[in-house]
Amino acid sequence: MLYYLGIIFIVLFNMAILYDLTQHNEDLYKSNFSLFVYVLTFFCLIELLLFTLVYLFLINTIGLLS
């Protein structure tokens, strides 16, 4: 349950970053839309990977994972 909650928070946080960056960098957003979205998606996936690794490490350390 906490894992899914963490993923939801990461995705919502990245959506807020996308909105903020589109407001401040309209020229870049309009000229290279696919590159803009690709880079932000890449960083979102990296964040999800790191979150998963830390989550599994903590669960394994505590001993909840058999």
Side-chain angles (χ1 to χ4, degrees):
M1 178 68 182
L2 288 176
Y3 179 72
Y4 296 120
L5 190 62
I7 288 177
I8 289 170
F9 279 133
I10 288 172
V11 170
L12 289 175
F13 179 70
N14 281 301
M15 287 173 52
I17 289 174
L18 175 66
Y19 177 75
D20 185 50
L21 286 175
T22 56
Q23 298 300 315
H24 292 291
N25 300 314
E26 286 187 38
D27 297 333
L28 179 65
Y29 177 70
K30 289 179 182 176
S31 66
N32 284 331
F33 174 74
S34 60
L35 179 65
F36 197 77
V37 172
Y38 175 73
V39 169
L40 288 175
T41 303
F42 176 73
F43 283 119
C44 182
L45 291 175
I46 294 293
E47 288 175 13
L48 289 173
L49 176 67
L50 290 174
F51 173 73
T52 301
L53 291 175
V54 169
Y55 181 81
L56 288 174
F57 176 74
L58 288 175
I59 292 298
N60 197 17
T61 302
I62 293 172
L64 296 176
L65 194 61
S66 298

